[in-house]
Amino acid sequence: MSAARTSKAARPVKPRKRAARVAPALRRELLLQAAITCLSEEGLRGFTLQNVAQRANVSLALIGHYFGGIEELLQAVFAAVMFKMPAAPKAEPRSLEEATTQLMHTVESTFAPDYYSRDNLLVWLPLYEEMYLKGRIGRRLVAQEEQYIKAVARQIDAVARFRRLKVDAQQIAADFIALADGLWLHWCFTDSDDYSRNRETAVRYLELHIGTLRGA
């Protein structure tokens, strides 16, 4: 009897396989993508923590851990689909060429294929609605867009200073973004996959105010 017990105890114990753990940064990105999909397919009415959690196959508590509440999650979605915020420069541009290069990089990011798409517009439509309604979340989204306008205005102002031009950089930046939005919306109504003309139109608008941005 004791021998049998000894034999059984002597058998090697197989270690349990641990479930694969997802790095926090990747987990946050996966949750954010689930939120973006939820917003694009169900609109604001269906954009709830419960629906996002169901799509991501996670608990509500996990979403709360990464984003807090529904307002913070919507802000995160807005930041993810908004035009890429120009990075604050460590130092002011030292030449006209450097200043125009920074601004053109922002233009190219605005018209990048992974952003300038019909699918992305489905995310923007409910965001536009929320901004229009001017509720608490809408006001937060407007404030985020204003920060983006200021960032683009700084780049426009840098080019203008090298050329000794007096311009309203803030207004030009706001108009540039509105123009890009309008071109994007119109392009979504067409059957064309080419939006290079839209990008060229946006560049020409900027050049009308601050001079050439190519080969400066």
Side-chain angles (χ1 to χ4, degrees), residues 8-26:
K8 185 176 181 179
R11 293 176 184 174
V13 178
K14 294 182 180 180
R16 291 182 178 179
K17 292 184 178 180
R18 293 184 177 181
R21 300 187 64 181
V22 178
L26 178 57

Side-chain angles (χ1 to χ4, degrees), residues 4-202:
R5 288 179 179 173
T6 302
S7 175
K8 185 176 181 179
R11 293 176 184 174
V13 178
K14 294 182 180 180
R16 291 182 178 179
K17 292 184 178 180
R18 293 184 177 181
R21 300 187 64 181
V22 178
L26 178 57
R27 172 65 70 188
R28 186 181 190 281
E29 180 62 26
L30 292 173
L31 293 176
L32 187 56
Q33 290 305 314
I36 289 172
T37 301
C38 180
L39 185 61
S40 67
E41 294 183 359
E42 301 189 38
L44 280 174
R45 307 301 181 274
F47 187 73
T48 65
L49 293 180
Q50 290 84 352
N51 284 343
V52 174
Q54 186 176 8
R55 285 176 177 272
N57 196 28
V58 298
S59 66
L60 286 174
L62 188 62
I63 295 181
H65 171 73
Y66 280 93
F67 296 101
I70 192 68
E71 292 186 15
E72 290 76 14
L73 180 57
L74 188 61
Q75 279 188 270
V77 169
F78 180 79
V81 301
M82 189 172 65
F83 302 137
K84 187 176 180 182
M85 182 76 73
K90 296 180 180 178
E92 290 297 317
R94 292 168 293 182
S95 66
L96 175 61
E97 180 181 4
E98 194 172 314
T100 55
T101 297
Q102 289 180 1
L103 182 54
M104 277 301 295
H105 177 72
T106 296
V107 174
E108 294 298 335
S109 297
T110 300
F111 289 89
D114 60 345
Y115 177 81
Y116 205 82
S117 69
R118 292 175 174 86
D119 288 342
N120 225 9
L121 184 67
L122 295 177
V123 183
W124 265 102
L125 291 177
L127 291 174
Y128 282 138
E129 178 186 359
E130 188 63 27
M131 294 166 77
Y132 172 74
L133 294 175
K134 296 180 181 178
R136 185 169 59 180
I137 301 178
R139 290 195 298 272
R140 288 187 180 185
L141 299 182
V142 170
Q144 283 185 261
E145 186 173 64
E146 288 174 350
Q147 289 301 311
Y148 176 76
I149 292 174
K150 288 180 180 179
V152 176
R154 284 195 298 268
Q155 294 184 331
I156 292 172
D157 186 60
V159 175
R161 279 189 281 111
F162 278 110
R163 290 191 166 133
R164 298 182 179 179
L165 299 172
K166 292 184 178 180
V167 300
D168 187 343
Q170 186 81 5
Q171 189 61 57
I172 295 172
D175 291 345
F176 163 74
I177 294 168
L179 175 62
D181 283 347
L183 291 170
W184 184 21
L185 183 61
H186 183 269
W187 174 75
C188 285
F189 293 152
T190 71
D191 295 327
S192 173
D193 290 328
D194 179 22
Y195 48 78
S196 58
R197 290 179 61 184
N198 288 0
R199 180 176 58 236
E200 182 64 21
T201 298

